[in-house]
């Protein structure tokens, strides 16, 4: 007898977004990024619609282990901070690693330990692996302590953003437990062709290519942010993706009040966001004030930017702004500047556009938002063009007004959270339609 699709109201969905808790509790001061904003907004909107049982796993900041906020069931996890959990657009980067069995370490111990003790340690290691090891992907070990939280939630569908190490743990778990898995594309790096073409490929965030390839092979549904990401996925990995744009709540929480022609930059201190280039722009345009909201990621870049900003009187750096206040910064900005090397679809662009703030971007033009839809100026990687683009927008009222209007029209037409939430529901339900049709 064929299986029938699972009723929508019986599907238990679990997002895993470890840094997202401050987006549910503004009293929690902890870094987050665009990926967390995206997941939190979708989780809240799906829960508001009431058709799904919506869950979310975040890191433990001292909150109750289980709590419900805006109808989203939150579970706190005090587990390891996986080295490669975080991607471009996400909160922060750390260097903690999951436990692993590195052969060079074992060989070194064997050299110095007596033979009998060595064999006792090896026996203990085998016993430990038998009882504590959940599984392995190549040389990557997944321990029961890494996935116990997933068993606790016991969802039907797990969803995570970005192609990283945490994703590998979750993909392996879903495969072993017979769960469904949806991958939300992060940056274009998630579908880098070197993942399979270069056996030694490791991202700048420390993710080895073989884990990324495993994820791409075993994901049930890909929700990508742009047509370009869909093409990368199909061309290089022969998998199909569904384009679902990032959501934005189009309701304004602050009045538009431009403050001193300020040019706003928001992001992490890392080699992808490149805040030092924003300081280069500020140095070349001393007549305009620049404000950087700079979250700590790479400590060296972070400290260098602060040191350099002390010598630039037109630059202000804010280290942290609560999410419920961040929109005020966009509402007061004249322009938004992006110096990122790559992105998926940055939420910063959507927040700027929501307030009619034109965008000047060095390398990133997601979905043709700038070049096709006219929401600002795309510099196509040419740094010299930035100064000219900013000057033109600042000094040409008609050009500025047209770009601002197009920003507003664009987000309302393509990124309204209610439209995006319906697309998420359809993707989740399609998992069970596909399952039923296979019988």
């Amino acid at each position: 007898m064929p299986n029938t699709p699972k009723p929508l109201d019986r599907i238990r969905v679990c997002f895993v977004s470890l840094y997202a808790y401050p987006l549910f509790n503004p009293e929690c001061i902890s870094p987050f990024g665009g990926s967390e904003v995206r997941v939190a907004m979708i989780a809240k909107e799906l829960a508001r619609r009431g058709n799904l049982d919506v869950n979310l796993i975040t890191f433990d900041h001292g909150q109750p282990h289980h709590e419900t906020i805006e109808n989203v069931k939150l579970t706190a996890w005090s587990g390891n901070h996986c080295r490669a959990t975080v991607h471009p657009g996400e909160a922060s980067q750390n260097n903690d690693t999951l436990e692993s069995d590195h052969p060079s370490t074992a060989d070194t111990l064997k050299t110095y330990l007596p033979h009998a003790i060595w064999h006792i340690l090896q026996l203990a290691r085998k016993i430990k692996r038998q009882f504590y090891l959940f599984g392995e992907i190549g040389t990557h070990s997944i321990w029961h302590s890494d996935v116990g939280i997933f068993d606790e939630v016991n969802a039907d569908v797990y969803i995570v953003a970005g192609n990283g190490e945490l994703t590998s743990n979750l993909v392996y778990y879903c495969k072993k437990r017979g769960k469904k898995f949806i991958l939300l594309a992060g940056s274009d790096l998630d579908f880098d062709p070197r993942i399979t073409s270069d056996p030694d490929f490791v991202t700048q965030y420390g993710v080895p290519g073989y884990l990324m390839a495993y994820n791409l092979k075993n994901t049930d549904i890909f929700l990508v942010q742009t047509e370009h990401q869909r093409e990368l996925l199909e061309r290089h990995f022969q998998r199909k993706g569904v384009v679902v744009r990032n959501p934005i709540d189009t309701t304004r929480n602050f009045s538009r009040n431009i403050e001193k022609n300020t040019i706003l930059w928001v992001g992490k201190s890392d080699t992808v966001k490149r805040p030092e280039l924003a300081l280069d722009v500020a140095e070349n345009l001393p007549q305009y004030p620049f404000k950087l909201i700079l979250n700590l990621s790479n400590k060296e870049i972070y400290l260098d930017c602060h040191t350099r900003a002390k010598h630039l009187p037109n630059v202000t750096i804010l280290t942290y702004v609560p999410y419920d206040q961040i929109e005020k910064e966009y509402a007061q900005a004249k322009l938004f500047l992006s110096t990122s090397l790559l992105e998926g679809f940055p939420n910063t662009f959507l927040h700027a556009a929501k307030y009619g703030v034109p965008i000047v971007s060095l390398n990133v033009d997601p979905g043709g938002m700038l070049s096709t839809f006219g929401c600002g100026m795309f510099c196509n990687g040419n740094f010299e063009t930035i100064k000219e683009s900013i000057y033109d927008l600042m000094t040409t009222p008609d050009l500025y007004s047209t770009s601002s209007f197009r920003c507003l029209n664009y987000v309302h037409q393509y990124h309204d959270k209610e439209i995006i939430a319906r697309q998420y529901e359809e993707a989740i339900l399609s998992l069970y339609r596909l399952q039923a049709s296979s019988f």
Side-chain angles (χ1 to χ4, degrees):
M1 180 177 177
N3 283 3
T4 56
K6 192 166 186 174
L8 189 61
D9 60 359
R10 291 178 56 198
I11 297 175
R12 188 175 179 86
V13 175
C14 181
F15 292 88
V16 182
S17 186
L18 299 179
Y19 293 89
Y21 188 70
L23 299 169
F24 290 82
N25 180 358
E27 294 183 1
C28 176
I29 306 301
S30 185
F32 57 86
S35 176
E36 289 75 35
V37 172
R38 171 191 182 190
V39 167
M41 187 172 295
I42 284 297
K44 291 175 183 179
E45 185 62 20
L46 289 176
R48 186 193 68 80
R49 291 169 66 83
N51 297 320
L52 296 166
D53 182 354
V54 181
N55 297 260
L56 173 64
I57 296 172
T58 70
F59 274 134
D60 187 348
H61 299 272
Q63 73 267 32
H65 184 62
H66 294 292
E67 61 181 326
T68 300
I69 300 176
E70 297 188 50
N71 295 320
V72 178
K73 299 174 183 176
L74 301 171
T75 301
W77 183 50
S78 55
N80 294 323
H81 290 235
C82 301
R83 176 194 65 227
T85 298
V86 183
H87 296 268
E90 295 186 332
S92 63
Q93 184 180 354
N94 59 65
N95 295 316
D96 298 335
T97 59
L98 295 174
E99 184 173 355
S100 62
D101 298 299
H102 200 291
S104 62
T105 303
D107 290 342
T108 301
L109 287 174
K110 188 175 183 179
T111 302
Y112 293 102
L113 290 175
H115 189 69
I117 295 178
W118 167 254
H119 280 287
I120 291 172
L121 287 175
Q122 288 303 294
L123 178 61
R125 178 173 173 270
K126 288 179 181 178
I127 293 172
K128 176 186 176 183
R129 291 179 69 82
Q130 180 179 352
F131 286 98
Y132 294 101
L133 185 69
F134 183 78
E136 292 179 306
I137 306 170
T139 59
H140 174 70
S141 298
I142 303 169
W143 304 93
H144 283 286
S145 59
D146 297 324
V147 299
I149 191 75
F150 307 144
D151 275 332
E152 180 183 340
V153 174
N154 192 27
D156 302 301
V157 182
Y158 288 85
I159 305 174
V160 76
N163 187 2
E165 190 174 296
L166 173 65
T167 307
S168 298
N169 291 356
L170 196 48
V171 170
Y172 186 93
Y173 168 84
C174 288
K175 190 174 179 182
K176 191 167 183 177
R177 291 284 196 256
K179 309 288 189 177
K180 301 296 185 182
F181 179 76
I182 296 176
L183 176 64
L184 308 183
S187 78
D188 295 350
L189 184 65
D190 287 347
F191 311 120
D192 193 303
R194 293 173 294 174
I195 291 170
T196 52
S197 65
D198 180 0
D200 299 318
F201 177 67
V202 178
T203 72
Q204 58 263 57
Y205 293 92
V207 189
Y210 76 90
L211 284 183
M212 301 175 78
Y214 177 86
N215 300 339
L216 296 177
K217 180 180 179 181
N218 292 287
T219 288
D220 292 300
I221 287 183
F222 296 90
L223 299 185
V224 299
Q225 301 171 86
T226 63
E227 184 64 25
H228 176 63
Q229 288 186 337
R230 188 198 66 76
E231 292 172 355
L232 287 174
L233 177 62
E234 186 167 356
R235 183 188 318 131
H236 298 294
F237 305 99
Q238 295 72 56
R239 298 298 310 273
K240 294 187 180 298
V242 179
V243 178
V244 179
R245 291 179 169 92
N246 280 11
I248 189 73
D249 183 349
T250 57
T251 304
R252 289 186 179 183
N253 296 316
F254 297 90
S255 299
R256 183 80 167 111
N257 182 24
I258 298 175
E259 183 184 71
K260 301 178 182 177
N261 288 334
T262 298
I263 298 169
L264 179 66
W265 183 100
V266 180
K268 296 184 298 179
S269 59
D270 70 10
T271 57
V272 173
K273 302 298 184 182
R274 304 190 295 182
E276 68 279 3
L277 292 184
L279 296 181
D280 289 344
V281 178
E283 190 171 18
N284 277 275
L285 292 169
Q287 69 271 39
Y288 299 122
F290 285 73
K291 182 182 289 186
L292 278 65
I293 301 176
L294 183 63
N295 291 322
L296 174 61
S297 178
N298 181 300
K299 188 175 181 180
E300 182 178 353
I301 294 174
Y302 182 83
L303 293 176
D304 285 348
C305 286
H306 276 274
T307 299
R308 187 176 168 196
K310 291 177 182 178
H311 304 286
L312 296 173
N314 62 327
V315 173
T316 301
I317 295 184
L318 303 180
T319 57
Y320 182 83
V321 178
Y323 182 66
D324 61 354
Q325 294 297 309
I326 192 72
E327 285 192 16
K328 185 177 181 181
E329 303 297 335
Y330 290 96
Q332 294 177 344
K334 180 78 171 184
L335 295 177
F336 182 81
L337 173 65
S338 170
T339 54
S340 291
L341 180 64
L342 52 86
E343 293 276 4
F345 203 118
N347 282 286
T348 53
F349 282 38
L350 298 181
H351 277 95
K354 169 180 172 176
Y355 282 92
V357 180
I359 299 152
V360 176
S361 175
L362 177 58
N363 281 96
V364 176
D365 183 20
M369 181 180 179
L370 308 181
S371 59
T372 302
F373 294 95
C375 298
M377 297 285 202
F378 177 48
C379 300
N380 203 26
N382 185 346
F383 183 82
E384 298 304 318
T385 307
I386 291 180
K387 181 177 178 180
E388 180 182 341
S389 298
I390 290 175
Y391 184 79
D392 286 346
L393 282 165
M394 286 291 199
T395 60
T396 313
D398 288 347
L399 176 62
Y400 184 91
S401 178
T402 299
S403 297
S404 179
F405 174 79
R406 287 173 175 170
C407 284
L408 296 171
N409 185 63
Y410 176 80
V411 290
H412 282 274
Q413 185 172 353
Y414 295 107
H415 292 271
D416 187 277
K417 66 177 183 177
E418 294 186 14
I419 297 172
I420 305 304
R422 287 198 296 271
Q423 294 173 336
Y424 269 76
E425 281 189 354
E426 178 60 29
I428 292 165
L429 186 58
S430 73
L431 285 166
Y432 297 95
R433 291 186 184 133
L434 289 170
Q435 177 179 301
S437 65
S438 66
F439 286 85

